[in-house]
Coordinates of all heavy atoms in Angstrom, one line a residue:
W263 N -44.4 43.8 49.0 CA -44.2 42.7 48.1 C -43.0 41.8 48.4 O -42.6 40.8 47.8 CB -44.1 43.2 46.6 CG -45.3 43.8 46.2 CD1 -45.6 45.1 45.9 CD2 -46.4 43.0 45.8 NE1 -46.9 45.2 45.5 CE2 -47.5 43.9 45.4 CE3 -46.8 41.6 45.8 CZ2 -48.7 43.6 45.0 CZ3 -48.0 41.4 45.4 CH2 -49.0 42.3 44.9
G264 N -42.1 42.3 49.3 CA -40.9 41.5 49.6 C -41.1 40.5 50.8 O -40.1 40.0 51.2
R265 N -42.2 40.3 51.3 CA -42.6 39.4 52.3 C -42.1 39.9 53.6 O -42.2 39.2 54.7 CB -42.1 38.0 52.0 CG -42.6 37.4 50.8 CD -44.0 37.4 50.6 NE -44.8 36.6 51.5 CZ -45.5 35.5 51.3 NH1 -45.6 35.0 50.1 NH2 -46.0 34.8 52.2
E266 N -41.6 41.1 53.7 CA -41.1 41.7 55.0 C -42.3 41.7 56.1 O -42.1 41.4 57.3 CB -40.5 43.0 54.9 CG -39.3 43.1 54.0 CD -39.7 43.4 52.5 OE1 -40.9 43.4 52.1 OE2 -38.8 43.7 51.8
D267 N -43.5 42.2 55.6 CA -44.5 42.3 56.5 C -44.9 40.9 57.1 O -45.3 40.8 58.3 CB -45.8 42.9 55.8 CG -45.6 44.4 55.4 OD1 -44.7 45.0 56.1 OD2 -46.3 44.8 54.5
D268 N -44.9 39.9 56.3 CA -45.2 38.5 56.7 C -44.2 38.0 57.7 O -44.6 37.5 58.8 CB -45.4 37.6 55.6 CG -46.5 38.0 54.6 OD1 -47.6 38.5 55.1 OD2 -46.4 37.8 53.5
A269 N -43.0 38.2 57.4 CA -41.9 37.9 58.3 C -42.0 38.6 59.7 O -41.8 38.0 60.8 CB -40.5 38.1 57.8
F270 N -42.3 39.9 59.6 CA -42.5 40.7 60.8 C -43.7 40.1 61.6 O -43.5 40.0 62.9 CB -42.7 42.1 60.5 CG -42.9 43.1 61.6 CD1 -41.9 43.4 62.4 CD2 -44.2 43.5 62.0 CE1 -42.1 44.2 63.6 CE2 -44.3 44.3 63.1 CZ -43.3 44.7 63.9
A271 N -44.7 39.8 61.0 CA -45.9 39.3 61.7 C -45.5 38.0 62.4 O -45.9 37.7 63.5 CB -47.1 39.1 60.7
C272 N -44.8 37.2 61.8 CA -44.3 35.8 62.3 C -43.5 36.1 63.6 O -43.8 35.4 64.7 CB -43.5 35.0 61.3 SG -44.4 34.3 60.0
S273 N -42.6 37.0 63.5 CA -41.8 37.2 64.6 C -42.6 37.9 65.9 O -42.3 37.5 67.0 CB -40.6 38.2 64.2 OG -41.0 39.5 63.9
V274 N -43.4 38.9 65.6 CA -44.2 39.5 66.6 C -45.1 38.5 67.3 O -45.3 38.4 68.5 CB -45.0 40.7 66.1 CG1 -45.9 41.2 67.0 CG2 -44.0 41.8 65.6
D275 N -45.8 37.7 66.5 CA -46.8 36.7 67.0 C -46.1 35.8 67.8 O -46.6 35.3 68.9 CB -47.4 36.0 65.9 CG -48.4 36.8 65.1 OD1 -48.8 37.9 65.6 OD2 -49.0 36.3 64.1
T276 N -44.8 35.3 67.5 CA -44.0 34.4 68.3 C -43.6 34.9 69.6 O -43.6 34.3 70.6 CB -42.9 33.8 67.5 OG1 -43.4 33.2 66.3 CG2 -42.0 32.9 68.3
I277 N -43.0 36.2 69.5 CA -42.3 36.7 70.7 C -43.3 37.3 71.6 O -43.3 37.2 72.9 CB -41.3 37.7 70.3 CG1 -40.2 37.1 69.5 CG2 -40.6 38.5 71.4 CD1 -39.4 36.1 70.2
F278 N -44.3 38.0 71.1 CA -45.3 38.8 72.0 C -46.6 38.2 72.0 O -47.5 38.7 72.8 CB -45.4 40.1 71.4 CG -44.1 40.9 71.5 CD1 -43.4 41.2 70.3 CD2 -43.6 41.4 72.7 CE1 -42.2 41.9 70.4 CE2 -42.4 42.0 72.8 CZ -41.6 42.3 71.6
G279 N -47.0 37.2 71.2 CA -48.3 36.7 71.2 C -49.1 37.1 70.0 O -48.8 38.1 69.4
K280 N -50.2 36.3 69.7 CA -50.9 36.5 68.4 C -51.4 37.9 68.3 O -52.1 38.4 69.3 CB -52.0 35.5 68.3 CG -52.8 35.6 67.1 CD -52.1 35.0 65.9 CE -53.1 35.0 64.6 NZ -52.5 35.6 63.5
H281 N -51.2 38.6 67.2 CA -51.7 39.9 67.0 C -53.2 39.9 66.7 O -53.7 38.8 66.5 CB -51.0 40.6 65.8 CG -51.4 39.9 64.5 ND1 -50.8 38.9 64.0 CD2 -52.3 40.4 63.5 CE1 -51.3 38.5 62.7 NE2 -52.2 39.4 62.5
F282 N -53.9 41.0 67.0 CA -55.2 41.0 66.7 C -55.5 42.4 65.9 O -54.8 43.2 66.1 CB -56.1 40.9 68.0 CG -55.7 41.9 69.0 CD1 -56.5 43.1 69.1 CD2 -54.7 41.6 69.9 CE1 -56.1 44.1 70.0 CE2 -54.4 42.6 70.9 CZ -55.1 43.8 71.0
R283 N -56.7 42.4 65.3 CA -57.1 43.6 64.6 C -58.0 44.5 65.5 O -58.8 43.9 66.2 CB -57.7 43.3 63.3 CG -56.7 42.5 62.3 CD -57.4 42.2 61.0 NE -56.5 41.5 60.2 CZ -55.6 42.0 59.4 NH1 -55.5 43.3 59.2 NH2 -55.0 41.2 58.6
V284 N -57.9 45.7 65.4 CA -58.7 46.6 66.2 C -59.5 47.5 65.1 O -59.1 47.7 64.0 CB -58.0 47.5 67.0 CG1 -57.3 46.7 68.1 CG2 -57.0 48.3 66.4
D285 N -60.7 47.9 65.5 CA -61.5 48.7 64.6 C -61.3 50.2 65.1 O -62.1 50.8 65.7 CB -63.0 48.4 64.9 CG -63.9 49.1 63.9 OD1 -63.4 49.5 62.9 OD2 -65.1 49.2 64.2
K286 N -60.1 50.7 64.7 CA -59.6 52.0 65.1 C -58.9 52.5 63.9 O -58.6 51.8 63.0 CB -58.7 52.0 66.3 CG -59.4 51.6 67.6 CD -60.5 52.4 68.1 CE -61.1 51.8 69.3 NZ -62.3 52.6 69.7
E287 N -58.5 53.9 63.9 CA -57.7 54.5 62.9 C -56.3 53.9 62.9 O -55.8 53.5 64.0 CB -57.6 55.9 63.2 CG -58.9 56.7 62.8 CD -58.7 58.3 62.9 OE1 -57.6 58.6 62.6 OE2 -59.7 58.9 63.3
T288 N -55.8 53.7 61.8 CA -54.3 53.2 61.7 C -53.7 54.2 60.7 O -54.3 54.9 60.0 CB -54.3 51.7 61.1 OG1 -54.9 51.7 59.8 CG2 -55.0 50.8 62.1
Y289 N -52.3 54.0 60.8 CA -51.5 55.0 59.9 C -50.6 54.1 59.1 O -50.1 53.1 59.6 CB -50.7 56.0 60.7 CG -51.6 56.8 61.6 CD1 -52.0 56.6 62.8 CD2 -52.0 58.1 61.0 CE1 -52.9 57.4 63.5 CE2 -52.8 58.9 61.7 CZ -53.3 58.6 63.0 OH -54.1 59.4 63.6
H290 N -50.3 54.5 57.9 CA -49.4 53.8 57.1 C -48.3 54.8 56.6 O -48.7 55.9 56.1 CB -50.2 53.3 55.8 CG -49.2 52.7 54.8 ND1 -48.8 53.3 53.8 CD2 -48.9 51.4 54.7 CE1 -48.0 52.5 53.0 NE2 -48.0 51.2 53.6
L291 N -47.1 54.4 56.7 CA -46.0 55.3 56.2 C -45.9 55.1 54.7 O -45.8 54.1 54.2 CB -44.7 55.0 56.8 CG -44.7 55.2 58.3 CD1 -43.3 54.7 58.9 CD2 -44.9 56.6 58.7
W292 N -46.0 56.2 53.9 CA -45.9 56.2 52.5 C -44.6 55.7 52.0 O -43.6 56.0 52.7 CB -46.2 57.6 51.9 CG -46.2 57.5 50.4 CD1 -47.3 57.2 49.6 CD2 -45.1 57.7 49.6 NE1 -46.9 57.2 48.3 CE2 -45.6 57.5 48.2 CE3 -43.7 58.0 49.8 CZ2 -44.7 57.7 47.1 CZ3 -42.9 58.0 48.6 CH2 -43.4 57.8 47.4
H293 N -44.5 55.0 51.0 CA -43.4 54.5 50.4 C -43.7 54.1 48.9 O -44.7 53.9 48.5 CB -42.7 53.3 51.0 CG -43.6 52.1 51.1 ND1 -43.9 51.3 50.1 CD2 -44.4 51.7 52.1 CE1 -44.8 50.3 50.4 NE2 -45.2 50.5 51.7
P294 N -42.7 54.3 48.1 CA -42.9 54.0 46.6 C -43.4 52.6 46.4 O -43.0 51.7 47.2 CB -41.6 54.2 46.0 CG -40.7 54.8 46.9 CD -41.3 54.7 48.3
N295 N -44.3 52.5 45.5 CA -44.8 51.1 45.2 C -43.7 50.3 44.6 O -43.0 50.6 43.7 CB -46.0 51.2 44.2 CG -46.7 49.9 43.9 OD1 -46.5 49.0 44.7 ND2 -47.4 49.8 43.0
S296 N -43.6 49.1 45.0 CA -42.6 48.1 44.4 C -43.3 47.0 43.7 O -44.2 46.4 44.4 CB -41.6 47.6 45.5 OG -42.3 47.0 46.4
K297 N -43.0 46.7 42.6 CA -43.6 45.6 41.9 C -42.9 44.2 42.2 O -41.6 44.3 42.3 CB -43.5 45.8 40.3 CG -44.3 47.1 40.0 CD -45.8 46.9 40.1 CE -46.4 48.2 39.7 NZ -47.7 48.5 40.3
R298 N -43.5 43.2 42.4 CA -43.0 42.0 42.8 C -41.9 41.5 41.8 O -40.8 41.1 42.1 CB -44.0 40.9 43.0 CG -43.5 39.6 43.5 CD -44.5 38.6 43.7 NE -45.5 39.0 44.7 CZ -46.3 38.4 45.2 NH1 -46.7 37.2 44.9 NH2 -47.2 38.9 46.1
N299 N -42.3 41.6 40.5 CA -41.4 41.1 39.5 C -40.1 42.0 39.3 O -39.1 41.5 38.9 CB -42.1 41.1 38.2 CG -43.2 40.0 38.1 OD1 -43.2 39.2 38.9 ND2 -44.1 40.2 37.3
G300 N -40.2 43.2 39.7 CA -39.0 44.1 39.5 C -38.3 44.3 40.8 O -37.4 45.2 40.8
Y301 N -38.7 43.8 41.8 CA -38.1 44.0 43.1 C -36.9 43.2 43.2 O -36.9 42.0 43.3 CB -39.0 43.7 44.3 CG -38.6 44.1 45.6 CD1 -38.3 45.4 45.9 CD2 -38.4 43.2 46.7 CE1 -37.9 45.8 47.3 CE2 -38.0 43.5 47.9 CZ -37.8 44.8 48.1 OH -37.4 45.2 49.4
P302 N -35.6 43.8 43.3 CA -34.4 43.2 43.2 C -34.0 42.2 44.4 O -33.4 41.2 44.2 CB -33.3 44.2 43.2 CG -34.0 45.4 43.7 CD -35.4 45.3 43.5
N303 N -34.6 42.5 45.6 CA -34.4 41.6 46.7 C -35.5 40.7 47.0 O -35.5 39.9 48.1 CB -34.0 42.4 48.0 CG -32.7 43.0 47.9 OD1 -31.8 42.5 47.4 ND2 -32.6 44.4 48.1
Y304 N -36.4 40.4 46.1 CA -37.6 39.6 46.4 C -37.1 38.1 46.8 O -37.6 37.7 47.8 CB -38.5 39.5 45.3 CG -39.7 38.7 45.6 CD1 -40.7 39.1 46.5 CD2 -39.8 37.3 45.1 CE1 -41.8 38.3 46.8 CE2 -40.9 36.5 45.4 CZ -41.8 37.1 46.3 OH -43.0 36.2 46.6
K305 N -36.3 37.6 46.0 CA -36.0 36.2 46.2 C -35.3 36.0 47.7 O -35.5 35.1 48.4 CB -35.0 35.7 45.2 CG -34.7 34.1 45.3 CD -34.0 33.7 44.1 CE -33.5 32.2 44.3 NZ -32.9 31.7 43.2
N306 N -34.3 36.9 47.9 CA -33.7 36.8 49.3 C -34.7 37.0 50.4 O -34.6 36.3 51.4 CB -32.6 38.0 49.3 CG -31.4 37.7 48.3 OD1 -31.1 36.6 48.1 ND2 -30.7 38.7 48.0
N307 N -35.5 38.0 50.2 CA -36.6 38.3 51.3 C -37.5 37.1 51.4 O -37.9 36.8 52.5 CB -37.3 39.6 51.0 CG -36.5 40.8 51.3 OD1 -35.4 40.7 51.8 ND2 -36.9 41.9 50.8
Y308 N -37.9 36.5 50.3 CA -38.8 35.4 50.4 C -38.1 34.2 51.1 O -38.7 33.6 52.0 CB -39.2 35.0 49.0 CG -40.2 33.8 49.1 CD1 -41.5 34.0 49.3 CD2 -39.7 32.4 48.8 CE1 -42.4 33.0 49.4 CE2 -40.7 31.4 48.8 CZ -42.0 31.7 49.2 OH -42.9 30.7 49.2
N309 N -36.7 33.9 50.9 CA -36.1 32.9 51.5 C -36.0 33.1 53.1 O -36.1 32.2 53.8 CB -34.7 32.6 50.9 CG -34.9 32.0 49.6 OD1 -35.7 31.3 49.3 ND2 -33.8 32.3 48.7
L310 N -35.7 34.5 53.3 CA -35.7 34.8 54.8 C -37.1 34.6 55.5 O -37.3 34.2 56.6 CB -35.2 36.3 54.9 CG -35.1 36.9 56.4 CD1 -34.0 36.0 57.1 CD2 -34.7 38.3 56.4
Y311 N -38.2 35.0 54.7 CA -39.5 34.8 55.2 C -39.7 33.4 55.5 O -40.4 33.0 56.5 CB -40.5 35.4 54.2 CG -41.9 34.7 54.3 CD1 -42.7 35.1 55.2 CD2 -42.2 33.8 53.3 CE1 -44.0 34.6 55.3 CE2 -43.6 33.3 53.4 CZ -44.4 33.6 54.4 OH -45.6 33.1 54.5
L312 N -39.3 32.4 54.7 CA -39.4 31.0 54.8 C -38.8 30.6 56.3 O -39.3 29.8 56.9 CB -38.9 30.3 53.7 CG -39.6 30.4 52.4 CD1 -39.0 29.5 51.3 CD2 -41.1 29.9 52.5
K313 N -37.6 31.2 56.5 CA -37.0 30.9 57.8 C -37.8 31.4 59.0 O -38.0 30.7 59.9 CB -35.6 31.5 57.9 CG -34.6 31.0 57.0 CD -33.3 31.7 57.0 CE -32.3 31.1 56.1 NZ -31.0 31.9 56.2
Y314 N -38.5 32.5 58.8 CA -39.4 33.0 59.9 C -40.5 32.1 60.1 O -41.1 31.9 61.2 CB -39.7 34.5 59.6 CG -38.6 35.5 60.1 CD1 -37.6 35.7 59.4 CD2 -38.9 36.2 61.3 CE1 -36.6 36.7 59.7 CE2 -37.9 37.1 61.6 CZ -36.8 37.3 60.9 OH -35.9 38.2 61.3
T315 N -41.2 31.6 58.9 CA -42.3 30.8 59.0 C -41.9 29.5 59.8 O -42.8 29.0 60.5 CB -43.0 30.5 57.8 OG1 -42.1 29.9 56.8 CG2 -43.5 31.9 57.2
R316 N -40.7 29.0 59.5 CA -40.3 27.7 60.1 C -40.1 28.0 61.7 O -40.3 27.0 62.5 CB -39.1 27.2 59.5 CG -39.3 26.5 58.1 CD -38.1 25.7 57.6 NE -36.9 26.6 57.3 CZ -36.8 27.2 56.2 NH1 -37.6 27.0 55.2 NH2 -35.8 27.9 55.9
A317 N -39.7 29.1 62.1 CA -39.5 29.4 63.4 C -40.9 29.9 64.1 O -40.9 30.1 65.4 CB -38.5 30.6 63.6
R318 N -41.9 30.1 63.4 CA -43.1 30.6 64.0 C -43.6 29.7 65.1 O -43.6 28.5 65.1 CB -44.2 30.7 63.0 CG -45.5 31.1 63.4 CD -46.6 31.0 62.5 NE -46.5 32.0 61.5 CZ -46.9 31.8 60.2 NH1 -47.3 30.6 59.8 NH2 -46.6 32.7 59.3
G319 N -43.9 30.3 66.3 CA -44.3 29.6 67.4 C -43.2 29.1 68.4 O -43.5 28.6 69.5
N320 N -42.0 29.1 67.9 CA -40.9 28.7 68.7 C -40.0 29.9 69.0 O -39.2 30.4 68.3 CB -40.1 27.7 67.9 CG -38.9 27.1 68.6 OD1 -38.4 27.6 69.4 ND2 -38.5 25.9 68.2
V321 N -40.2 30.3 70.3 CA -39.5 31.5 70.8 C -38.0 31.4 70.6 O -37.2 32.3 70.2 CB -39.9 31.9 72.3 CG1 -39.1 33.0 72.8 CG2 -41.4 32.2 72.3
E322 N -37.4 30.3 71.1 CA -36.0 30.1 71.0 C -35.4 30.2 69.6 O -34.3 30.8 69.3 CB -35.5 28.9 71.8 CG -35.7 28.9 73.2 CD -35.1 30.2 73.9 OE1 -33.9 30.4 73.5 OE2 -35.7 30.8 74.7
A323 N -36.1 29.4 68.7 CA -35.8 29.5 67.3 C -35.8 30.9 66.7 O -35.0 31.4 65.9 CB -36.6 28.6 66.5
M324 N -36.9 31.6 67.1 CA -37.0 33.1 66.6 C -35.9 33.9 67.2 O -35.4 34.7 66.4 CB -38.4 33.6 67.0 CG -38.7 34.9 66.3 SD -38.9 34.8 64.5 CE -40.5 33.8 64.3
K325 N -35.5 33.8 68.4 CA -34.5 34.5 69.0 C -33.2 34.2 68.3 O -32.3 35.1 68.1 CB -34.4 34.3 70.5 CG -35.4 34.9 71.2 CD -35.2 34.6 72.8 CE -36.3 35.3 73.7 NZ -36.1 35.0 75.1
K326 N -32.9 33.0 68.0 CA -31.7 32.6 67.3 C -31.7 33.3 65.8 O -30.6 33.8 65.5 CB -31.7 31.1 67.1 CG -30.4 30.6 66.5 CD -30.4 29.1 66.5 CE -29.0 28.6 65.9 NZ -29.0 27.1 65.8
L327 N -32.8 33.4 65.2 CA -32.8 34.1 63.9 C -32.5 35.6 64.1 O -31.7 36.1 63.3 CB -34.3 34.1 63.3 CG -34.6 32.9 62.3 CD1 -36.0 33.0 61.8 CD2 -33.7 33.0 61.1
F328 N -33.1 36.1 65.1 CA -32.7 37.6 65.4 C -31.2 37.8 65.7 O -30.6 38.6 65.2 CB -33.5 38.0 66.7 CG -34.9 38.2 66.5 CD1 -35.7 38.2 67.7 CD2 -35.6 38.2 65.4 CE1 -37.0 38.3 67.7 CE2 -36.9 38.3 65.3 CZ -37.7 38.4 66.4
H329 N -30.7 36.8 66.6 CA -29.3 36.9 66.9 C -28.4 36.7 65.6 O -27.4 37.5 65.4 CB -28.9 35.9 67.9 CG -27.5 35.8 68.2 ND1 -26.8 36.7 68.9 CD2 -26.6 35.0 67.8 CE1 -25.5 36.6 69.1 NE2 -25.3 35.4 68.3
N330 N -28.7 35.9 64.8 CA -28.0 35.6 63.5 C -28.1 36.8 62.6 O -27.0 37.2 62.0 CB -28.5 34.4 62.7 CG -28.1 33.0 63.4 OD1 -27.3 33.0 64.3 ND2 -28.7 32.0 63.2
R331 N -29.3 37.4 62.5 CA -29.3 38.7 61.6 C -28.6 39.8 62.2 O -27.9 40.5 61.6 CB -30.9 39.0 61.6 CG -31.8 38.1 60.8 CD -31.5 37.9 59.4 NE -31.7 39.2 58.7 CZ -31.3 39.5 57.5 NH1 -30.6 38.6 56.8 NH2 -31.5 40.7 56.9
L332 N -28.6 39.9 63.6 CA -27.7 41.0 64.2 C -26.3 40.8 63.9 O -25.6 41.8 63.7 CB -28.2 41.1 65.7 CG -29.5 41.6 66.0 CD1 -29.8 41.5 67.5 CD2 -29.7 43.1 65.6
T333 N -25.8 39.6 64.1 CA -24.4 39.2 63.9 C -24.0 39.5 62.4 O -23.0 40.1 62.2 CB -24.2 37.8 64.3 OG1 -24.6 37.5 65.6 CG2 -22.7 37.5 64.1
I334 N -24.9 39.1 61.5 CA -24.6 39.3 60.0 C -24.5 40.9 59.8 O -23.5 41.3 59.2 CB -25.5 38.6 59.2 CG1 -25.4 37.1 59.3 CG2 -25.4 39.1 57.7 CD1 -26.6 36.3 58.5
N335 N -25.5 41.6 60.3 CA -25.6 43.0 60.0 C -24.3 43.8 60.7 O -23.8 44.6 60.1 CB -26.9 43.6 60.6 CG -28.1 43.2 59.6 OD1 -27.9 42.9 58.6 ND2 -29.2 43.3 60.2
K336 N -24.0 43.3 61.9 CA -22.8 44.0 62.6 C -21.5 43.7 61.8 O -20.8 44.6 61.5 CB -22.7 43.4 64.0 CG -21.6 44.0 64.7 CD -21.6 43.5 66.2 CE -20.5 44.1 66.9 NZ -20.4 43.5 68.3
A337 N -21.4 42.4 61.3 CA -20.2 42.1 60.5 C -20.1 42.9 59.2 O -19.1 43.3 58.7 CB -20.2 40.6 60.2
N338 N -21.3 43.1 58.5 CA -21.3 43.9 57.3 C -21.1 45.3 57.6 O -20.3 45.9 56.9 CB -22.7 43.8 56.7 CG -23.1 42.4 56.1 OD1 -22.1 41.8 55.7 ND2 -24.3 42.1 55.9
I339 N -21.5 46.0 58.7 CA -21.2 47.3 59.0 C -19.7 47.5 59.4 O -19.0 48.3 58.9 CB -22.0 47.7 60.3 CG1 -23.5 47.8 59.8 CG2 -21.5 49.0 60.7 CD1 -24.5 48.0 60.9
L340 N -19.2 46.5 60.2 CA -17.8 46.6 60.5 C -16.8 46.3 59.3 O -15.9 47.0 59.1 CB -17.4 45.6 61.7 CG -18.1 45.9 63.0 CD1 -17.8 44.9 64.0 CD2 -17.7 47.3 63.5
G341 N -17.3 45.3 58.5 CA -16.6 45.1 57.3 C -16.5 46.3 56.3 O -15.4 46.6 55.7
N342 N -17.7 47.0 56.2 CA -17.7 48.2 55.4 C -16.8 49.3 55.9 O -16.1 50.0 55.1 CB -19.1 48.7 55.2 CG -19.9 47.7 54.4 OD1 -19.3 46.9 53.5 ND2 -21.3 47.9 54.6
E343 N -16.7 49.5 57.2 CA -15.9 50.5 57.8 C -14.4 50.2 57.5 O -13.7 51.1 57.3 CB -16.1 50.7 59.3 CG -17.5 51.2 59.6 CD -17.8 51.2 61.2 OE1 -16.9 50.7 62.0 OE2 -18.8 51.7 61.5
K344 N -14.0 49.0 57.6 CA -12.6 48.6 57.3 C -12.2 48.9 56.0 O -11.1 49.2 55.6 CB -12.4 47.2 57.6 CG -12.5 46.8 59.2 CD -12.3 45.4 59.4 CE -12.5 44.9 60.8 NZ -12.5 43.5 61.0
N345 N -13.2 48.8 55.0 CA -12.7 49.0 53.5 C -12.8 50.5 53.2 O -12.4 50.7 52.1 CB -13.8 48.3 52.7 CG -13.6 46.7 52.9 OD1 -12.5 46.3 53.2 ND2 -14.7 46.0 52.7
E346 N -13.3 51.3 54.0 CA -13.4 52.7 53.6 C -12.0 53.5 54.0 O -11.3 53.2 54.8 CB -14.6 53.4 54.3 CG -15.8 52.8 53.7 CD -17.0 53.5 54.3 OE1 -16.9 54.3 55.3 OE2 -18.1 53.3 53.9

């Protein structure tokens, strides 16, 4: 419900080529059900999903999104270590 699957599909399709469905067994990792209305990060995830849809089909734009996310995550991790 957080649009993560859609953002992931945009990124994979852009970097590796359009995905396709196969008529084979698949596996799903169980996780608790999250309701869209009660999901605390829905708005943030939706806004991130919109960025991925704008970059769809543009490899350089998608790579830039990846780089920005890695930089933000690294800064958050390092920032948290400094405060502990």
